[in-house]
Amino acid sequence: DSGVTQTPKHLITATGQRVTLRCSPRSGDLSVYWYQQSLDQGLQFLIQYYNGEERAKGNILERFSAQQFPDLHSELNLSSLELGDSALYFCASSGREGWYQETQYFGPGTRLLVL
Amino acid sequence: LAKTTQPISMDSYEGQEVNITCSHNNIATNDYITWYQQFPSQGPRFIIQGYKTKVTNEVASLFIPADRKSSTLSLPRVSLSDTAVYYCLVGDVEGNTPLVFGKGTRLSVIA
């Protein structure tokens, strides 16, 4: 158990809909990272927040947005969903601001299925 | 950003030692090499990290030659529970490089 929690575990929705994925980082961790893992693309970095502020952006679509709240939990909002958005979405947390590879702890993921 | 290349898949029998090699020809002076393990439907988990020569922990060993253009993850006496995808990552020690996960190496351990 990494200490990172994600809800929901599974999500099934229809095209065009909007969903929110939630992540609670490990206690004390200020950084939250979101990743998308699909079968054909592997694990791709989407966005990072550090202590409430956006710090880095990866391959995140304009239909997707995220935020980190004062209690440090984070939400990833996916809108106008398409079939290709079906994937596993992972959240990771770290106690450090940067990309220190040894200190990212991943949650169990949310499996999104868009029908 | 240093690109990594690893075999897509490997098979091994239980009890054997498994070596997975990763190529990173344009690794920079400031870069570390890190390996992650991912079981099905779980998030990746840090295994081991190194800069040069050899690093060993309770799970694996990491061998890095002097030119650092490749690295080899060694798993001693694998069991069925070692069946997973193994990712090799390269990133700088200052923490300025987003983690880039490639497709990884899918290791299947057979009884």
Side-chain angles (χ1 to χ4, degrees), chain A residues 55 96-100, chain B residues 30-32 91-97:
Chain A
R55 189 188 182 275
R96 307 177 76 172
E97 183 176 357
W99 293 90
Y100 302 95
Chain B
N30 269 0
D31 286 343
Y32 268 81
D92 71 271
V93 302
E94 300 301 321
N96 295 318
T97 309

Side-chain angles (χ1 to χ4, degrees), chain B residues 36-40 82-87 103-107:
Chain B
Y36 273 81
Q37 175 191 55
Q38 185 179 23
F39 296 114
D82 292 316
T83 295
V85 178
Y86 292 83
Y87 297 95
K103 297 287 180 72
T105 297
R106 185 172 298 276
L107 172 66

Side-chain angles (χ1 to χ4, degrees), chain A residues 2 4 6 18 25 36 42 47-49 58 61 63 65 68 71 83 87 90 96-98 100 104 106-107 111:
Chain A
S2 66
V4 178
Q6 291 186 247
R18 183 178 189 275
Q36 178 192 56
I47 196 166
Q48 180 208 358
Y49 279 81
L61 299 172
R63 300 183 286 108
S65 65
Q68 187 179 27
D71 66 353
L83 296 178
F90 288 105
R96 307 177 76 172
E97 183 176 357
Y100 302 95
Q104 283 205 16
F106 284 77
R111 184 175 294 278

Side-chain angles (χ1 to χ4, degrees), chain A residues 2 14-15 18 28 40 57 79 89-90 95 98 107-108 112-115:
Chain A
S2 66
T15 55
R18 183 178 189 275
D40 57 345
K57 242 178 179 176
S79 61
Y89 290 85
F90 288 105
L112 173 66
L113 180 60
V114 182
L115 300 174

